Amino acid sequence: MSRRKTGPRRTPAPAPAVTADTPCPCGLDAAYGACCGRFHAGTGATAPTAELLMRSRYSAFVVGDAAYLLRTWAPETRPGTLDLDPGMRWTGLEVLGTTDGTAFHQRGTVTFTARYVHGGEPGALTEHSRFTRHDGAWVYVDGDFPEH
């Protein structure tokens, strides 16, 4: 039997608005519109590396772009739908390592830690993600959650 904490529930602070001119949530030194926003818009180029795809997918979680997440998911592992938790606020990204995943590769991996606040409580998710090329574009395949 679990014990529940009693007391007032903390309401998370609203996420800051992301616009084309604000810093990109992915952590690169660029404005959202010139960084991940251009991939989210779907008007041309796709992410040229597995790491940039992972960063753009993180940013899609930040801005709530489920359509982009589904569009950049490998067909063989893509879910039919994706419901994003409106109570989840993503607060930071740290890339811990990459293997392959450049223009010269067909596969790549990215290990990262994404920080968040959910229900007023901070947390972190570390994932070792796998990416592959599908019709010439990088797509997310799946990931593991390594122990620290």
Side-chain angles (χ1 to χ4, degrees), residues 1 12 16 19 24 28 30-31 36 43 45 49 55 60 67 71-72 86 89-90 96 105 107-108 119-120 130 137:
M1 187 163 161
T19 68
C24 194
L28 293 178
C36 296
T43 55
T49 67
R55 287 179 177 277
R71 193 167 66 242
T72 58
R89 186 168 55 102
W90 297 97
L96 305 172
H105 301 106
R107 299 191 188 311
R130 286 178 282 283

Side-chain angles (χ1 to χ4, degrees), residues 29 51 64 67 86 104 126 139:
D29 189 20
E51 180 182 340
F104 303 104
T126 299
V139 292

Side-chain angles (χ1 to χ4, degrees), residues 5-22:
K5 293 181 183 178
T6 59
R9 255 187 103 145
R10 290 187 253 169
T11 302
V18 177
T19 68
D21 298 323
T22 58

Side-chain angles (χ1 to χ4, degrees), residues 35-92:
C35 194
C36 296
R38 65 191 164 126
F39 303 133
H40 296 172
T43 55
T46 58
T49 67
E51 180 182 340
L52 285 176
L53 178 63
M54 186 281 307
R55 287 179 177 277
S56 70
R57 287 177 56 83
Y58 168 81
S59 292
F61 276 102
V62 171
V63 301
D65 190 345
Y68 179 78
L69 292 165
L70 289 170
R71 193 167 66 242
T72 58
W73 209 312
E76 63 272 13
T77 58
R78 178 189 311 134
T81 61
L82 186 62
D83 295 320
L84 300 179
D85 182 346
M88 182 73 81
R89 186 168 55 102
W90 297 97
T91 60

Side-chain angles (χ1 to χ4, degrees), residues 78-130:
R78 178 189 311 134
T81 61
L82 186 62
D83 295 320
L84 300 179
D85 182 346
M88 182 73 81
R89 186 168 55 102
W90 297 97
T91 60
L93 176 68
E94 179 184 3
V95 174
L96 305 172
T98 64
T99 60
D100 300 334
T102 71
F104 303 104
H105 301 106
Q106 291 300 307
R107 299 191 188 311
T109 67
V110 180
T111 303
F112 65 91
T113 297
R115 302 203 184 294
Y116 61 85
V117 174
H118 188 262
E121 298 294 325
L125 172 134
T126 299
E127 181 174 332
H128 177 77
S129 298
R130 286 178 282 283

